[in-house]
Amino acid sequence: MKRSIIKSTGMFVPNNIITNHDLEKILDTSDEWIKQRTGIEQRYWIDQEGETGASDLGFEASKTALESAGWKPEDLDFIIFATLSPDIMFPGCGCLLAAKLGLNSTPALDIRQQCTGFLYGLTTADAYIKTGLANKILIVGSEVHSSGLDKSTRGRDVTVIFGDGAAAVCLEGVETDETAGVLASCLHADGNFAQALMTELPASKFPLRFPPGVPIDDPRYYPVMDGPAIFKKAVRMLPKVIIESLKKAQINLDEIDLIVPHQANMRINQALGQFLKLDDNKIFHNIQKYGNTTAASIPLALHEAIEQGRIGKSGDIVIFTGLGAGLTWGSVIYKFL
């Protein structure tokens, strides 16, 4: 049977490290407050001068992943690009990335599922491989948050959380009798909580996407979040969807070598471990270094977990899970070949 196998990963972050102490200089906040509530110590932001988009960061991560896989761009059958911060309104970043890779006919799909973008992307890629529609797929999660944040005290609760970065995964269909690859995937969405985490403007629902009389610094142009609501949803839904995926894969929690959750908040991930009664070393954390990189978060954490030797050996089983804007949430179980 053809299985969807991770051949390689790659990541890229900008050069600019923004520490909590740097944010203290522009916002009414503190290093202690940020670390206590989020676990974040620093994040990476693009240079605020010049033009850098999500496809640019994704291109750098993709080059690393392709080189590690031994693939050339023209080997790709499909590109899946997950982001909430596209370079431009349209066309999508998948097409922009394909052009940067020197391609002119490779199909590309953008996924706008925010924090669960990689989960939706991996599930989609797995379906394409298993149905024979594609065999070598590049999955990219990339975000440039910093250019769209409210860097005033008004927006501090959101601004301190987000970082810029990208990660890429090369996924290949491999014929094998071994039970490996994507073992189970469970995805969910509930638009009734859309307003809990959103950016409202610009918006096509208005006669003019930039409503006349609305100042350019109107808060609706910046992301807003109901932190307590998101926290409560996450600590309730993530354990449920993990258990759901374990039942679907017909394996037990004690067979899991590592959980790689979306890096939204250290407290959420710690609460997940406590609910599932797991040792701390069974859950991967890197939010302290990168902040929340949304669609890049899970593949970036996957790349580092492999580099650190936490996972990647034949037979290792990992769970990817996350919850974010939409609201969307999900869980994917993967076994290394």
Side-chain angles (χ1 to χ4, degrees), residues 97-111:
L97 173 62
K100 287 179 170 66
L101 290 170
L103 303 173
N104 57 22
S105 66
T106 304
L109 171 70
D110 272 41
I111 295 210

Side-chain angles (χ1 to χ4, degrees), residues 23-29 45 146 148-160 217-219 222-223:
L23 295 181
E24 289 176 338
K25 300 173 184 176
I26 60 173
L27 308 172
D28 183 9
T29 190
W45 284 357
S146 59
L149 297 173
D150 182 355
K151 299 184 183 72
S152 69
T153 296
R154 178 183 65 181
R156 61 183 174 181
D157 291 350
V158 175
T159 297
V160 301
D217 66 344
D218 186 284
Y222 299 105

